[in-house]
């Protein structure tokens, strides 16, 4: 359907078969439980106010950075070892170690960012990201729409002509435009358009 260039068939297939395939892949790859776990982890971090600039939190992030950095190497090695086994081992043990090594790497990134953000120079340099984060749902969906229009046959169909470098540059350009759009939108609105819609759906029927 993607290669045919038929936009309506593309939409219909994505709404039907595409959603089913995506859900089954998420279950098979462990992403369903992983996503739930990450939501709970984010909830815990928020309840503990771990992003507040306190000495206790600095110590927490420093410890997490050290533990995650040390844990990443053996977890990655075990993942590579498991992925070299038979299909059953790859699908079970390999998937488990893959998620754990990615979690360790994510902790390294988040802890590093949290510690660096205490620096005024770094905070000023990346301050624009807060606008992007406040509209994360809108940005996530719009990235898919923009990507489809750029790469698929019913749009510009640049997929056969874009290598890794050009695709990276396109991604950076889209990101920069989205950051600018977020600043513009939030200068007059409290939330992004899809965030506002999600909020209304969450509290539908409540007075």
């Amino acid at each position: 359907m993607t290669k045919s260039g038929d936009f309506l068939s593309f939409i219909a297939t994505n709404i039907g078969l595409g959603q089913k395939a995506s859900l089954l892949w998420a279950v098979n790859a462990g992403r369903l439980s992983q996503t739930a776990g990450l939501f709970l982890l984010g909830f815990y971090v928020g309840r503990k106010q771990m992003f507040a600039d306190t000495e206790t939190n600095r110590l927490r992030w420093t410890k997490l950075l050290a533990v995650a950095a040390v844990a990443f190497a053996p977890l990655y090695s075990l993942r590579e070892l498991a992925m070299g086994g038979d299909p059953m081992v790859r699908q079970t043990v390999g998937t488990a170690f893959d998620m754990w090594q990615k979690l360790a790497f994510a902790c390294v990134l988040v802890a590093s960012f949290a510690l660096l953000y205490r620096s005024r120079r770094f905070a000023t340099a990346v301050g624009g990201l807060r606008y992007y984060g406040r509209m994360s749902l809108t940005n996530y969906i719009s990235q898919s729409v923009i990507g489809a229009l750029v790469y698929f046959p019913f749009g510009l169909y640049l997929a056969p002509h874009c290598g890794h470098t050009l695709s990276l540059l396109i991604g950076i350009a889209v990101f920069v435009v989205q950051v600018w759009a977020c600043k513009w939108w939030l200068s007059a609105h409290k939330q992004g358009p899809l965030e506002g819609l999600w909020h209304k759906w969450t509290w539908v029927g409540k007075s």
Side-chain angles (χ1 to χ4, degrees):
M1 289 304 158
T2 300
K3 292 181 179 180
S4 70
D6 187 334
F7 180 72
L8 294 179
S9 297
F10 172 80
I11 295 297
T13 303
N14 269 278
I15 292 175
L17 179 62
Q19 294 304 310
K20 178 182 178 181
S22 179
L23 177 61
L24 292 176
W25 173 84
V27 173
N28 188 55
R31 291 294 180 89
L32 200 62
S33 56
Q34 182 188 44
T35 301
L38 290 174
F39 268 110
L40 290 174
L41 184 59
F43 181 74
Y44 175 82
V45 170
R47 289 293 296 269
K48 291 294 184 179
Q49 298 184 337
M50 289 180 63
F51 288 115
D53 188 11
T54 65
E55 285 299 323
T56 300
N57 283 336
R58 291 184 185 186
L59 182 60
R60 283 175 174 173
W61 288 118
T62 302
K63 288 181 178 179
L64 178 61
L65 177 60
V67 171
V70 171
F72 174 75
L75 287 171
Y76 180 82
S77 298
L78 289 169
R79 181 258 185 196
E80 290 295 296
L81 184 64
M83 287 301 184
D86 61 67
M88 181 60 70
V89 173
R90 290 199 302 268
Q91 191 173 348
T92 54
V93 180
T95 297
F97 279 125
D98 180 63
M99 288 192 291
W100 279 108
Q101 62 96 11
K102 287 177 179 175
L103 177 62
F105 187 65
C107 287
V108 169
L109 293 178
V110 174
S112 298
F113 192 93
L115 291 170
L116 285 171
Y117 202 78
R118 271 54 181 175
S119 165
R120 180 173 298 179
R121 181 177 298 181
F122 181 81
T124 301
V126 301
L129 293 177
R130 66 182 181 272
Y131 302 104
Y132 197 85
R134 287 174 60 188
M135 292 178 54
S136 55
L137 178 60
T138 298
N139 288 322
Y140 179 76
I141 298 300
S142 62
Q143 276 183 0
S144 298
V145 174
I146 294 170
L149 293 174
V150 169
Y151 291 109
F152 290 169
F154 52 76
L156 299 176
Y157 197 32
L158 296 182
H161 313 290
C162 292
H164 292 95
T165 302
L166 184 55
S167 294
L168 175 62
L169 294 176
I170 291 173
I172 292 173
V174 171
F175 173 75
V176 171
V177 171
Q178 284 185 310
V179 171
W180 175 84
C182 289
K183 289 183 178 180
W184 171 77
W185 180 270
L186 291 173
S187 65
H189 302 84
K190 183 179 179 181
Q191 296 175 303
L194 295 185
E195 285 75 14
L197 187 61
W198 188 275
H199 180 82
K200 290 180 180 178
W201 284 351
T202 300
W203 299 104
V204 66
K206 299 293 183 179
S207 56

